Amino acid sequence: MLTELVHRAGMHRARDFSVHFVCGGLSACVATLTVHPVDVLRTRFAAQGEPKVYKTLRAAVATMYRTEGPLVFYKGLNPTLIAIFPYAGFQFSFYNSLKHVYEWVTPAEGKKNGNLKNLLCGSGAGVISKTLTYPLDLFKKRLQVGGFEQARASFGQVRSYQGLLDCARQVLREEGVPGFFKGLSPSLLKAALSTGLVFFWYEFFCNLFHRVKKADS
């Protein structure tokens, strides 16, 4: 919708790298504001050790609201928004750029397989985007489990952070630059698969919709 709006306004060409970056980033920020509480709950469930603090989703919502207040569901929002804007922006921008590269390097007979192009370019865009923005994703997850230290005691040392900058300083001081990229390998695998499949199915259903619409008309 945003890309179409820019195109109609005639301010930039709809294929520009910057247009996809800004429109993709803004779209992700709006989506994040809507679903961030669910992301916090997911992180809390994944982070708790034994014995479990939260038995069910309803219990988690009630306990977190009672003990930490309503703002607990937006913990880590600032680094999330800071991270998601470039992450999603890079995804859309690199996806479209990689499609142009694919068209340029692929022989004419290979261009017929659009599904493969969408899958490969989506996977590549996911890997590049995740690598460029991974430290911010790491900060987000560490901040989301703040105030939850008692459930993570079984994992060993538990750190506490006062905010985004404090989190970045502590990671750099205690873990060095490699600490900013802890867990990068499985995240890249996930990004390659998830982003590739997202763009694959997005393009698939868009094309299907257009074919059905054309057949009806």
Side-chain angles (χ1 to χ4, degrees), residues 110-161:
K111 295 180 181 180
K112 297 178 181 179
N113 194 344
N115 289 332
L116 178 62
K117 176 184 71 174
N118 298 333
L119 182 62
L120 292 177
C121 294
S123 296
V127 169
I128 296 172
S129 305
K130 178 60 72 174
T131 303
L132 292 174
T133 61
Y134 186 76
L136 290 168
D137 189 49
L138 181 136
F139 300 152
K140 175 198 76 170
K141 287 183 169 61
R142 293 200 178 188
L143 289 171
Q144 283 179 341
V145 296
F148 190 53
E149 288 79 9
Q150 77 281 1
R152 295 179 52 78
S154 60
F155 293 109
Q157 184 180 5
V158 178
R159 296 177 176 86
S160 178
Y161 306 108

Side-chain angles (χ1 to χ4, degrees), residues 95 99 118 198-208:
Y95 174 66
K99 285 203 298 183
N118 298 333
V198 163
F199 280 112
F200 172 85
W201 289 113
Y202 171 76
E203 299 283 10
F204 176 84
F205 284 116
C206 278
N207 291 331
L208 181 63

Side-chain angles (χ1 to χ4, degrees), residues 4 13 24 41 46 51 55 59 87 109 117 119 147 172 181 187:
E4 182 68 20
R13 292 188 304 122
L41 287 165
K55 305 295 184 184
Y87 178 59
E109 59 271 13
K117 176 184 71 174
L119 182 62
L172 180 62
F181 294 93
S187 292

Side-chain angles (χ1 to χ4, degrees), residues 181-194:
F181 294 93
K182 277 190 173 179
L184 177 62
S185 297
S187 292
L188 290 182
L189 179 60
K190 176 188 174 185
L193 292 172
S194 61

Side-chain angles (χ1 to χ4, degrees), residues 20-40:
H20 289 294
F21 181 83
V22 174
C23 293
L26 289 175
S27 301
C29 286
V30 173
T32 296
L33 289 171
T34 306
V35 303
H36 190 73
V38 180
D39 190 45
V40 173

